[in-house]
Amino acid sequence: MISNPDIPREKAELAAICSLPGATAGRVREMLSLFGSPSGAWQAIRAGKARGTPAAGPLEEWASLAAGREPHKELDEFERAGISTVVRGEEGYPERLDEIFDSPWVLYYRGRLSVPGTCTVAIVGSRKATPYGLEVSRWLARELALRDVNVVSGAAYGVDSAAHAGALEDGGFTTAVLGCGVDVVYPRSNASLMERIRASGCLLSEYPPGTPPSRVRFPERNRIMAGMSRLVVVVEAAPGSGALITVDHALAAGRDVMAVPGPILSANSAGTNALIRTGASPVTCPEDLLAELGMSRAVGVSAQSALPADTNKGEPDLALLSRALGRGFTTAEELSREAGLPVPDTLAALSRMEVRGSVVRGPGGCYHLAAD
Amino acid sequence: MGMEAHPIEVEVDVTNGLPAFDMVGLPDAALREARIRVKSAIRNSFFQFPRTRVNVNLAPADIRKEGPSFDLPLALAILEANGQFRLGRDRSFQAAGELSLDGRLREVTGALSIAIGARQSKAAFLLLPRGNTGEAALVPDIPVYGVGNLREAVGFLEGSISLRPAESSRPDSVPVNDATCPDMAEVKGQEPARRALEVAAAGGHNMLMVGPPGSGKTMLARRLPGILPALSLEEALEVTRIHSVAGLVAPGGSLVTARPFRTPHNSISAVGLTGGGVPLPKPGEVSLAHGGVLYLDELTLFPRNALESLRGPLEDHQVTIVRSMVTVTYPSRFSMIASMNPCPCGYLGDPQHACACAPGDIQRYRSRLSGPLLDRVDIQVEVPRLTRRQLQERTAGESTSLVRARVTKARRLQEERLRGTGSFCNSGMTQALVERFCAVSPEGERFLGTAVERLGLSARSYQRVLKVARTIADLAESETIQLEHLAESVQYRCLERSVFTCGAR
């Protein structure tokens, strides 16, 4: 372990070691135990004396890469750019993350770290979520954030973005764990959301600033999401989805996993339904999550009964349509047939419900009831 | 040149010298070849080609001349100059026609324009190949004579053959032509898309359909010309003229009575769309669709510069083609209807098929359509694919003639309202006209405000929503725009919704 992580010099050297190519958590651990401290290890690397250590392969080139670097200045520069660092053992380092076997030695972040003791829940799922997945993700995140839960997700499209946005909706706290440097905006169209997360939440990454996104880094960062969370909620996942990798990490780390059930014909719910079949608890409403976290005792208030039932009083078209929507019809054509309304009236009523927020429209011209 | 025919004087001088046949006055390659055709046609019509020097001048000499329609006047002038026949009729006549080697006459393009030009230049009469007379006779006040071959032409000009001028084929009104356009009744289901098509037709709005392969987008588009109001006589004449210039009027054909439906393939170039060619630019697809419908299937596959070249014609309703030697203007008032897949694989949002595209691919796919082009599309609708079961359940829809009756009524309301403003239908309203004619109640104002905010509609689309709402109100024969008209109109902006973040408000 680190002898004294509060010494900025040691911290900087540790960060520098971790930034070398191939410096996995395991290798860094071996280096540290071999040389006693980050300083010792860094000196050894620079002097090329690290040859012959257990992690010999990449060390050949480390000496040249480390030559001329001044870890201390690098960290100062990041600090000036608004990027902070936290290392294992330091205060603020996510508590649970320390428990997993390959926890990152250094984390870079923008924004602020969550207050120690905060309950942390990861919400993950498909990037190409359906309107249902987006709506559920947003709703669960908002309800959790209202109860001061730190909502963790990966800032990707779809479920991730909806979770972050939902948590921020009423001023909650959320953490985005990135597969690139914390100063890299990816995906680009999420720029404004990420700026909001930075302002009132936390952008977190184990990769040094400037690291570009890459295919291999996303599964790696999933272990951080799983590791720092008390509970992992999968909202929508097709078989083979990256969200299921997070589940594997969560199970390996002994975290609870819950899944949101979905229609059995929907490819996007096949992964979550399979999780439920193999033993994950289903999420039918935010209370289910709170009960699991020990924050509420009420169990089983279903989402449907939480829907506002009577907002359409005095507007028969809207009432007819919400009933048709509740029965699972989605396209304007089906809805107009089911509600017995002419197409123009149906379209007009759907617009009014959309504007009111009781209906959301997704790709393919499909309409769904909103969760709240 | 362009749509206008310019009278060209053919001067022939047969003089002493070695046998030669020279032509001056900016003839193009096809016209230079006329020498071969004219020589053979004269010989094979039992005349003699002069065995001396033949000089031809085409005046005015500064205009480029192209095409084979000078064959007939050339042959006639040579024969007359050579003294092989004596003109027994008014000298100020005009003629056009392509000769075949055996002396028969072939149809030329642009006969309608030629006839209009002949009338304007006060020609005594017009001599044309017989197949062109139906078209040319649409023009009143100019006698048109049709002949089959060179001998007949000579005989007529001598006065030894008498011909009756072609009967005027100009009708008092354009008959409704339902034969060329498939009927709306054949479309099963797809009620929302049918409705959108009706609104598009009623207001002259451009429309974009987004849907997976096999959802019936092309089938719907093909039925748009039929539900548009019948062509007026002026429109029909203009359409005929363009088609005549482009050589699209069948031999013996006359007035084009059906609204054109043009479906250029997505490999088309910008020039193909807007028109061009040397030496004289020909009308492009936007002009051939004048008065009718331009259907762009798979909009995203069109070359970007081709799509950008549509902006001008969409805005100005005409294209001006400027080349080094000539500038021509063709009208291009058409309804654009386009289709595209929701994503590269086509299955985004399809309940039965999983979409195989990465989110970034989908965004790249959609970003191929430029904002300025989308800005000219008032109606964007999604056309979901129906399952076989749904198709079986659906009954046949309303027929084309029923829908057209409603569209015609709505158009008439718009014409009355917009009289004297320079616009003809709701889609053509300027911002000032929108402000004048699309008044919205305070309640509607509030609704639109929230819609822009909550549904992520762009500020620019605000105007579009108002225009389309005006058309919906016209279809409902309502003086004012009601909330329900606005609300329906909002649904026709599907592409503005963000694809991935609709849950994140």
Side-chain angles (χ1 to χ4, degrees):
Chain A
M1 281 290 150
I2 309 162
S3 51
N4 193 347
D6 289 330
I7 299 174
R9 188 188 167 78
E10 298 247 298
K11 185 170 156 180
E13 279 157 352
L14 182 58
I17 295 172
C18 291
S19 73
L20 293 168
T24 57
R27 282 203 181 116
V28 173
R29 184 171 52 236
E30 282 168 11
M31 298 284 299
L32 291 177
S33 62
L34 204 65
F35 296 102
S37 70
S39 273
W42 182 246
Q43 295 309 329
I45 289 169
R46 288 183 58 143
K49 282 185 196 151
R51 240 175 254 186
T53 55
L59 301 191
E60 298 287 335
E61 50 181 305
W62 280 7
S64 59
L65 285 170
R69 278 182 63 172
E70 293 183 75
H72 190 66
K73 284 191 181 158
E74 284 172 20
L75 230 52
D76 278 351
E77 226 158 85
F78 293 149
E79 197 72 52
R80 273 197 294 279
I83 301 167
S84 318
T85 15
V86 63
V87 296
R88 271 182 77 176
E90 201 177 357
E91 192 180 347
Y93 188 89
E95 297 139 38
R96 291 168 172 275
L97 192 52
D98 223 1
E99 298 166 8
I100 65 172
F101 86 98
D102 53 354
S103 44
W105 288 94
V106 182
L107 289 173
Y108 299 87
Y109 65 93
R110 297 171 75 195
R112 61 198 160 87
L113 292 168
S114 68
V115 183
T118 307
C119 178
T120 302
V121 173
I123 297 184
V124 295
S126 173
R127 290 189 296 158
K128 271 183 302 175
T130 64
Y132 164 74
L134 295 172
E135 188 59 26
V136 169
S137 173
R138 188 187 66 83
W139 186 37
L140 296 179
R142 201 187 72 159
E143 294 298 317
L144 287 173
L146 274 177
R147 287 160 183 82
D148 294 326
V149 172
N150 174 14
V151 176
V152 172
S153 197
Y157 287 124
V159 167
D160 284 15
S161 295
H164 290 303
L168 292 173
E169 218 167 85
D170 286 327
F173 188 86
T174 184
T175 303
V177 184
L178 309 181
C180 51
V182 287
D183 55 346
V184 178
V185 177
Y186 183 86
R188 290 207 66 90
S189 56
N190 262 356
S192 71
L193 176 66
M194 286 173 75
E195 180 50 34
R196 280 166 61 206
I197 298 172
R198 190 202 58 77
S200 44
C202 181
L203 295 170
L204 190 76
S205 173
E206 66 171 314
Y207 305 108
T211 309
S214 129
R215 210 167 269 258
V216 295
R217 298 202 181 99
F218 292 104
E220 277 180 16
R221 66 94 197 263
N222 287 354
R223 86 179 194 283
I224 302 180
M225 289 201 286
M228 66 191 285
S229 303
R230 155 98 211 272
L231 172 69
V232 172
V233 182
V234 189
V235 174
E236 260 191 332
S241 159
L244 299 179
I245 298 176
T246 313
V247 170
D248 291 342
H249 285 301
L251 295 176
R255 307 289 184 251
D256 289 326
V257 173
M258 291 179 84
V260 175
I264 58 172
L265 292 178
S266 163
N268 255 338
S269 289
T272 45
N273 287 344
L275 282 176
I276 293 171
R277 201 182 54 231
T278 51
S281 311
V283 183
T284 61
C285 58
E287 280 71 23
D288 289 353
L289 294 178
L290 299 175
E292 185 74 27
L293 296 170
M295 298 167 91
S296 154
R297 252 172 286 159
V299 179
V301 186
S302 86
Q304 269 301 309
S305 63
L307 289 176
D310 292 313
T311 47
N312 301 323
K313 243 181 208 160
E315 290 172 304
D317 286 10
L318 272 54
L320 281 170
L321 278 178
S322 3
R323 222 169 299 145
L325 283 161
R327 280 200 293 273
F329 294 95
T330 54
T331 65
E333 178 158 31
E334 289 172 337
L335 289 168
S336 106
R337 284 167 65 88
E338 194 58 27
L341 292 170
V343 168
D345 297 8
T346 306
L347 294 174
L350 284 169
S351 282
R352 290 168 62 192
M353 290 163 82
E354 263 195 285
V355 166
R356 219 173 265 186
S358 55
V359 161
V360 285
R361 175 178 168 161
C366 293
Y367 299 84
H368 298 265
L369 282 174
D372 60 330
Chain B
M1 193 197 297
M3 297 250 294
E4 308 297 327
H6 291 267
I8 301 292
E9 216 162 301
V10 179
E11 297 170 359
V12 173
D13 186 19
V14 180
T15 66
N16 290 330
L18 286 173
F21 186 1
D22 281 324
M23 211 184 303
V24 293
L26 292 183
D28 78 336
L31 188 42
R32 247 185 267 277
E33 287 171 359
R35 292 183 298 186
I36 311 282
R37 285 193 299 270
V38 167
K39 219 178 228 177
S40 293
I42 286 180
R43 288 198 182 125
N44 293 332
S45 302
F46 306 106
F47 293 111
Q48 282 225 319
F49 193 83
R51 282 188 199 141
T52 51
R53 185 172 183 81
V54 177
N55 288 334
V56 175
N57 179 35
L58 304 170
D62 61 338
I63 301 179
R64 277 197 180 275
K65 293 143 200 104
E66 67 162 4
S69 50
F70 293 95
D71 290 3
L72 178 61
L74 268 173
L76 291 172
I78 290 169
L79 289 176
E80 211 249 353
N82 198 217
Q84 296 195 42
F85 78 93
R86 208 184 173 74
L87 195 61
R89 293 184 194 270
D90 194 336
R91 187 163 277 277
S92 71
F93 72 96
Q94 293 185 3
E98 177 183 344
L99 280 171
S100 65
L101 296 184
D102 61 1
R104 273 180 302 158
L105 278 168
R106 290 208 174 94
E107 289 80 18
V108 295
T109 60
L112 182 56
S113 291
I114 292 174
I116 292 171
R119 185 181 61 172
Q120 275 167 359
S121 53
K122 304 217 165 46
F125 60 91
L126 179 62
L127 198 58
L128 284 177
R130 198 158 276 139
N132 283 130
T133 50
E135 224 182 280
L138 288 168
V139 183
D141 306 328
I142 171 104
V144 177
Y145 296 96
V147 285
N149 56 48
L150 183 58
R151 268 215 99 80
E152 196 181 352
V154 169
F156 170 71
L157 291 177
E158 273 178 338
S160 59
I161 302 176
S162 66
L163 291 171
R164 278 229 304 262
E167 294 236 353
S168 166
S169 56
R170 191 187 183 92
D172 293 329
S173 63
V174 184
V176 173
N177 185 344
D178 271 346
T180 57
C181 186
D183 200 288
M184 283 289 273
E186 294 156 13
V187 182
K188 279 184 164 187
Q190 296 294 16
E191 290 296 332
R194 288 176 60 115
R195 166 73 179 174
L197 203 63
E198 181 174 337
V199 175
H205 302 290
N206 298 319
M207 175 166 153
L208 172 62
M209 295 178 288
V210 184
S215 57
K217 302 184 291 279
T218 302
M219 182 183 64
L220 283 159
R222 284 196 180 282
R223 283 155 178 80
L224 179 57
I227 62 170
L228 290 167
L231 285 167
S232 71
L233 186 58
E234 286 72 42
E235 285 175 315
L237 280 171
E238 210 170 12
V239 171
T240 310
R241 214 170 150 189
I242 300 170
H243 283 229
S244 161
V245 167
L248 290 178
V249 176
S254 66
L255 196 63
V256 175
T257 51
R259 289 192 179 267
F261 181 77
R262 303 293 301 181
T263 55
H265 186 254
N266 54 42
S267 59
I268 195 172
S269 64
V271 167
L273 272 178
T274 53
V278 279
L280 300 179
K282 289 266 181 270
E285 289 293 332
V286 293
S287 300
L288 295 175
H290 176 72
V293 174
L294 181 70
Y295 176 47
L296 303 176
D297 195 9
E298 298 293 356
L299 188 63
T300 46
L301 297 185
F302 280 79
R304 195 171 180 125
N305 65 331
L307 291 182
E308 294 303 306
S309 71
L310 283 174
R311 284 159 54 181
L314 281 172
E315 201 71 7
D316 309 330
H317 307 301
Q318 61 176 29
V319 256
T320 301
I321 305 158
V322 182
R323 295 292 183 265
S324 59
M325 299 287 282
V326 284
T327 299
V328 296
T329 299
Y330 288 112
S332 65
R333 183 181 297 281
F334 59 92
S335 286
M336 183 179 83
I337 181 161
S339 75
M340 63 182 272
N341 287 336
C343 64
C345 82
Y347 290 108
L348 181 71
D350 191 314
Q352 276 111 41
H353 256 274
C355 165
C357 310
D361 292 341
I362 298 173
Q363 285 199 330
R364 260 192 300 284
Y365 180 76
R366 299 210 167 179
S367 67
R368 281 187 216 159
L369 304 180
S370 73
L373 181 70
L374 277 183
D375 258 359
R376 287 163 179 81
V377 178
D378 292 351
I379 297 182
Q380 308 157 353
V381 283
E382 273 160 321
V383 184
R385 206 158 50 97
L386 300 180
T387 60
R388 192 176 303 162
R389 192 179 55 81
Q390 283 172 319
L391 274 174
Q392 280 163 354
E393 277 176 6
R394 300 295 191 262
T395 47
E398 282 177 309
S399 71
T400 288
S401 54
L402 270 175
V403 181
R404 183 174 51 224
R406 284 198 298 269
V407 168
T408 309
K409 207 181 259 178
R411 280 280 179 113
R412 209 166 293 144
L413 286 174
Q414 294 166 38
E415 275 162 29
E416 268 167 45
R417 185 185 316 122
L418 295 169
R419 186 163 295 148
T421 59
S423 299
F424 304 95
C425 54
N426 287 341
S427 69
M429 285 192 288
T430 58
Q431 187 164 354
L433 290 176
V434 169
E435 273 162 27
R436 193 163 136 212
F437 294 121
C438 300
V440 173
S441 65
E443 184 195 16
E445 204 72 68
R446 262 200 309 282
F447 172 81
L448 272 186
T450 343
V452 166
E453 195 180 299
R454 293 201 76 148
L455 307 183
L457 299 185
S458 71
R460 281 196 284 201
S461 72
Y462 194 86
Q463 294 264 327
R464 314 262 138 196
V465 170
L466 284 178
K467 283 185 193 177
V468 174
R470 182 63 260 174
T471 304
I472 295 169
D474 286 338
L475 275 172
E477 293 174 53
S478 160
E479 279 284 307
T480 55
I481 299 178
Q482 308 286 330
L483 182 60
E484 72 216 60
H485 305 143
L486 282 173
E488 185 187 340
S489 178
V490 164
Q491 288 299 323
Y492 299 132
R493 303 300 301 173
C494 75
L495 272 192
E496 309 237 311
R497 316 298 186 78
S498 154
V499 197
F500 308 105
T501 49
C502 27
R505 288 178 213 140

